[in-house]
Amino acid sequence: MPKNNFQTQDTQGTQGQSTLRSRRHNLPKKRSFRELDRRTQIAAGAAGIIELTLIFAALRDLRRRPARLIRGPKPLWAVVSCLNVLGSLSYFIFGRRKDPQN
């Protein structure tokens, strides 16, 4: 009797895999950057430039700003800023304190 349970599980596992394969075949084919239309290439390039600019600005501000004007440790904010656009934006929104002298 235990053999039947194992056979049933194997059959169900195989059936689940075939379902995954069929879903995978329904996905659109991946395209390289050169296969994209010109507008999409420009948009992707602009997004990359914006992201790199934000990361650079966040790291530059972090290096120049005194530790007392930053919420949390500087190394943590450096890592968060390098993750993506949201990391850099979160540093500018949440990581900096106002300078009480200005």
Side-chain angles (χ1 to χ4, degrees), residues 28-42 44:
K29 180 184 168 264
K30 288 185 179 181
R31 298 189 300 176
S32 69
F33 186 77
R34 292 178 186 228
E35 292 175 335
L36 298 174
D37 61 288
R38 188 73 176 146
R39 215 181 219 179
T40 308
Q41 288 178 348
I42 291 171

Side-chain angles (χ1 to χ4, degrees), residues 38-78:
R38 188 73 176 146
R39 215 181 219 179
T40 308
Q41 288 178 348
I42 291 171
I49 290 170
I50 290 169
E51 181 172 358
L52 289 176
T53 303
L54 278 171
I55 290 171
F56 177 75
L59 291 175
R60 184 172 182 224
D61 184 76
L62 239 161
R63 187 180 40 148
R64 293 181 173 193
R65 188 173 291 269
R68 64 182 172 79
L69 295 178
I70 296 176
R71 292 185 179 103
K74 279 188 170 188
L76 176 67
W77 280 113

